Amino acid sequence: MKAAVWHGVKDVRVEDVTLKPLKANEVVVRVAYAGICGSDLHEYLEGPVFIPVEQPDGLTGGQAPLTMGHEFSGVVEQVGADVTDFKVGDHVSVNPTVTKGEVADDVDVYDGYSFIGLSTDGGFTTHVNVPEANLYHLPQDFPLTLAATIEPTAVAVQAVKEGGLRFGEKVVIFGAGPIGVLVAAAAKAAGATKIVAVDLSAVRLEKALEMGATDVVNPSEVDDTIAAIKAIIPGGADVTFEVAGVQPTFEQAIAATRPRGTMVIVSIFAKPISFDPMQLMNAGVKLTTTIAYSKETFQQTVDLVSQGLIDVAPVITDMIALDNIVTDGFESLTTDKSQAKILVNLAEED
């Protein structure tokens, strides 16, 4: 079978691979659609970030070269001897997070984590072995295209939960890439009345409005970004989300938050930044972070998306073939700001 395999920076190859033997606690998922994530793009442009190179990953045993892809949906094609909750033909969403599972769910990921598709073979192929514990049932009539967006949507739902957002509150989102616009959709579902998206790209701001933002600010078009935000939300936002991953937006997110409001770091920073803690203290802003999601949040996201309470359809901007994943996927996401979520169509692969 063909798979998109990471070998190194700017070295992702579509090549023939062999499916590993099925373990007793695993199922074989026939992949339908797989999304290209910002984390995948980081690995392509500047990895390894999460991909284990020097030695096997401690949780998954995987090591480069490996098949990428951690945002995917599919159909169960075979079940291992110990699998009890899934059968052949079930439609599934995959939670790619692998943890030790030794502490409470809400802190489990912070006890150490890896990812299917980053630390072991993932979904940029037709068939992949997935532990039963990482599978979630989907309604049989729910489109598997939309189901491929559940994983990044879970990141957004977790971020909104971390911010403690309540009905009627107001938010600002710095960064209108795929996760940023999904945060807008999740904040809308959570009852935010003002959702301001901030980005330098006009086309991304249009996508944010389509996904749930009520207002947008383009820093290149205003003299003072914070003043422009506070003209929309006097006094500052109840919750801000930093989804751009650069120092200027980190500082602006603090400045845009009301005293005793909350700033949530959602982005993965490619390199360290520095900031003056007194800015945070003098603003009276609470700072929190989020990485991935809990199992509870993933199930909640499956329910929210499959019931149409979060509309994920607008985030999908292109559908490509596996053979073209480098040119039409990674390279396109690098150069074309109009792209949000590109799905690889595996349903038509042999």
Side-chain angles (χ1 to χ4, degrees), residues 31-108:
V31 182
Y33 300 93
I36 302 176
C37 177
S39 299
D40 298 323
L41 192 60
H42 277 302
E43 299 289 358
Y44 174 72
L45 293 174
E46 56 197 1
V49 180
F50 292 108
I51 293 177
V53 174
E54 300 298 330
Q55 59 187 18
D57 181 81
L59 287 172
T60 68
Q63 185 176 4
L66 55 78
T67 301
M68 301 180 74
H70 62 276
E71 303 177 358
F72 60 99
S73 62
V75 180
V76 175
E77 194 162 280
Q78 184 180 348
V79 299
D82 294 342
V83 172
T84 59
D85 196 35
F86 293 86
K87 65 183 184 302
V88 172
D90 284 350
H91 289 203
V92 293
S93 176
V94 177
N95 176 346
T97 311
V98 179
T99 63
K100 298 174 186 175
E102 297 174 349
V103 295
D105 182 41
D106 61 336
V107 296
D108 183 32

Side-chain angles (χ1 to χ4, degrees), residues 2-332:
K2 292 190 299 183
V5 179
W6 188 93
H7 287 268
V9 173
K10 290 281 188 106
D11 187 8
V12 174
R13 309 172 198 172
V14 177
E15 56 192 23
D16 288 327
V17 301
T18 301
L19 187 65
K20 292 181 174 67
L22 185 66
K23 296 178 182 178
N25 68 330
E26 294 178 333
V27 311
V28 176
V29 174
R30 174 58 165 94
V31 182
Y33 300 93
I36 302 176
C37 177
S39 299
D40 298 323
L41 192 60
H42 277 302
E43 299 289 358
Y44 174 72
L45 293 174
E46 56 197 1
V49 180
F50 292 108
I51 293 177
V53 174
E54 300 298 330
Q55 59 187 18
D57 181 81
L59 287 172
T60 68
Q63 185 176 4
L66 55 78
T67 301
M68 301 180 74
H70 62 276
E71 303 177 358
F72 60 99
S73 62
V75 180
V76 175
E77 194 162 280
Q78 184 180 348
V79 299
D82 294 342
V83 172
T84 59
D85 196 35
F86 293 86
K87 65 183 184 302
V88 172
D90 284 350
H91 289 203
V92 293
S93 176
V94 177
N95 176 346
T97 311
V98 179
T99 63
K100 298 174 186 175
E102 297 174 349
V103 295
D105 182 41
D106 61 336
V107 296
D108 183 32
V109 72
Y110 300 105
D111 193 36
Y113 63 88
S114 296
F115 289 100
I116 296 168
L118 287 170
S119 304
T120 189
D121 291 331
F124 288 157
T125 186
T126 55
H127 295 81
V128 59
N129 297 339
V130 179
E132 180 181 21
N134 292 82
L135 296 175
Y136 291 72
H137 287 282
L138 292 171
Q140 293 292 107
D141 60 349
F142 184 69
L144 289 172
T145 48
L146 301 184
T149 71
I150 287 174
E151 194 277 342
T153 306
V155 174
V157 171
Q158 188 70 54
V160 168
K161 291 172 66 175
E162 294 291 343
L165 183 65
R166 295 179 292 184
F167 280 104
E169 291 192 329
K170 301 172 178 63
V171 307
V172 179
I173 303 163
F174 289 87
I179 297 298
V181 299
L182 286 168
V183 170
K188 178 182 178 181
T193 54
K194 279 288 184 183
I195 303 170
V196 182
V198 182
D199 201 286
L200 291 166
S201 168
V203 68
R204 285 189 164 184
L205 291 175
E206 285 298 321
K207 180 61 66 177
L209 289 168
E210 190 178 0
M211 294 291 292
T214 59
D215 301 87
V216 297
V217 173
N218 188 328
S220 69
E221 297 176 355
V222 298
D223 293 329
D224 186 328
T225 299
I226 301 304
I229 291 169
K230 291 190 175 180
I232 301 167
I233 306 177
D238 298 292
V239 186
T240 59
F241 299 91
E242 204 298 311
V243 202
V246 292
Q247 184 159 338
T249 53
F250 182 95
E251 295 173 349
Q252 288 173 343
I254 297 173
T257 309
R258 68 167 175 81
R260 310 312 297 157
T262 301
M263 171 187 164
V264 185
I265 301 175
V266 187
S267 55
I268 294 174
F269 283 75
K271 57 184 179 180
I273 64 170
S274 61
F275 78 103
D276 182 359
M278 290 305 298
Q279 181 197 5
L280 195 67
M281 295 172 68
N282 288 334
V285 171
K286 293 173 283 185
L287 176 65
T288 188
T289 64
T290 179
I291 185 73
Y293 30 72
S294 65
K295 291 179 176 65
E296 177 190 60
T297 293
F298 202 95
Q299 181 62 66
Q300 290 170 341
T301 306
V302 169
D303 297 338
L304 287 164
V305 173
S306 64
Q307 294 173 27
L309 298 174
I310 295 181
D311 182 12
V312 296
V315 81
I316 301 171
T317 51
D318 202 1
M319 191 91 65
I320 65 173
L322 179 62
D323 282 336
N324 302 326
I325 192 170
V326 173
T327 54
D328 297 350
F330 294 116
E331 290 295 335
S332 180

